[in-house]
Amino acid sequence: MTIIFVFIHTRYVRYRRLLPVLLGAALLATACGARANGHGGPKIVAAFYPLAWLAGQVAGPDATVQNLTKPGAEPHDLELTPRQVIDVGESKLAFYIKGVQSAVDKAVREHAKKHSLDAASLVATLPAPQDEEVHGAEDPHLWLDPSRFATVATALGERLAAIDAAHAAAYRARAAQVVTKLTALDGEFRTGLRDCARKEIVTSHSAFGYLAQRYGLTQVGVTGLDPEAEPSPARVASLTQLVRRTGATTVFTETLVSPKTAQTLAAEAGVRTQVLDPAEGVKPGSHDDYFSIMRRDLATLRPALGCR
């Protein structure tokens, strides 16, 4: 008994001596975790990358932004964890686009209906491709039109100003800065795509409707809005003829979707493939952001379309 008592007593003494160190380490870990997840202030949950990026630009150091979709993941495939569903409910704002991610739609409907913002409700939307049967009547890829995205930025700034009145001026100022940058980007696209030999962009899925409409192009999607859909042999044959008829030089693949279908079409038509990024996400460790992705897309489109 004596031996056991001394052992326990020794552990107790050591524990008391270590207790301040352990508490300090715990507090440091908590602080580091808070910094890693954001800056504090109101919590915003954003459905996927372009919305998380925009929310971060407008929120700045005055709010915390959580992206529900992990880097490198295809946003259409998102399944929320129970913790993420709680995060949606506990947030001050759930920022999403209805119809892109059914799990997010459900979480917002059940837990965040009164504190959510659907970006698609803020702009004029485009109809889905005529052959689309999966995602409904609207094309959700509105962020690929910088002018529409600027409208969303302004509205987001106003919403955050209403949520956190103490920092209202800062939210509005940052939103205005983003709008200025998006307007400049829109000008770059208008100038860069103004005089092109070809207008058709053949894409692996129909993500570029807004970009095409804004800059006078015609999108030809191998599949509809669902990036995982498989085109029928008849569809591939029809697209092969279209590529040859229009003189298209390129079939565009994407970053987060398998390129196999687009590569098959390109091989059939005797043209090359290149990546055209719909900015739906960035890969882990990437230094890209919305602007670098969009400018790289412009640099890819210009030679493919024979722009002067």
Side-chain angles (χ1 to χ4, degrees), residues 61-287:
D62 298 317
T64 298
V65 178
Q66 176 185 346
N67 188 351
L68 294 174
T69 304
K70 293 180 180 179
E74 217 296 318
H76 299 82
D77 299 332
L78 178 67
E79 294 293 336
L80 296 179
T81 65
R83 177 66 254 180
Q84 286 178 310
V85 174
I86 293 172
D87 290 338
V88 171
E90 292 180 345
S91 68
K92 289 296 184 180
L93 183 66
F95 188 35
Y96 76 121
I97 296 178
K98 186 177 180 180
V100 177
Q101 299 159 299
S102 59
V104 176
D105 292 351
K106 183 175 185 291
V108 169
R109 185 170 61 250
E110 295 180 356
H111 304 288
K113 186 176 290 187
K114 294 183 179 179
H115 59 271
S116 62
L117 180 62
D118 174 9
S121 70
L122 305 171
V123 298
T125 55
L126 296 178
Q130 292 182 358
D131 59 348
E132 182 61 40
E133 298 178 357
V134 178
H135 290 286
E138 295 181 343
D139 181 347
H141 300 84
L142 58 91
W143 63 90
L144 291 174
D145 174 357
S147 64
R148 281 180 168 90
F149 213 27
T151 299
V152 175
T154 299
L156 179 60
E158 291 300 319
R159 187 64 175 269
L160 293 181
I163 291 171
D164 182 15
H167 300 101
Y171 292 128
R172 291 188 175 110
R174 285 189 291 265
Q177 291 172 357
V178 177
V179 168
T180 297
K181 293 177 181 178
L182 288 169
T183 301
L185 179 66
D186 179 53
E188 292 175 34
F189 268 83
R190 282 189 172 278
T191 300
L193 300 176
R194 180 177 296 153
D195 186 10
C196 302
R198 293 172 293 279
K199 296 294 184 180
E200 293 81 12
I201 54 172
V202 183
T203 62
S204 59
H205 94 281
S206 300
F208 296 89
Y210 288 93
L211 186 148
Q213 185 212 46
R214 180 69 177 169
Y215 305 113
L217 306 176
T218 300
Q219 174 183 238
V220 180
V222 178
T223 65
L225 295 179
D226 181 0
E228 303 298 333
E230 291 289 337
S232 66
R235 174 68 173 165
V236 173
S238 174
L239 289 171
T240 300
Q241 293 302 315
L242 183 144
V243 169
R244 291 171 176 165
R245 185 172 66 252
T246 60
T249 63
T250 310
V251 175
F252 293 106
T253 63
E254 298 178 18
T255 50
L256 302 179
V257 179
S258 170
K260 290 182 179 179
T261 301
Q263 288 171 343
T264 299
L265 172 60
E268 289 287 332
V271 299
R272 63 183 176 179
T273 61
Q274 278 191 288
V275 173
L276 194 64
D277 194 335
E280 293 181 349
V282 294
K283 294 183 178 180
S286 171
H287 296 293

Side-chain angles (χ1 to χ4, degrees), residues 2-22:
T2 303
I3 295 173
I4 294 174
F5 174 77
V6 171
F7 179 68
I8 292 173
H9 183 264
T10 302
R11 289 183 63 190
Y12 175 69
V13 171
R14 288 176 179 172
Y15 177 75
R16 287 189 62 188
R17 289 175 180 172
L18 287 173
L19 184 59
V21 178
L22 294 171

Side-chain angles (χ1 to χ4, degrees), residues 25-38:
L27 289 172
L28 179 61
T30 301
C32 290
R35 286 195 295 270
N37 292 327

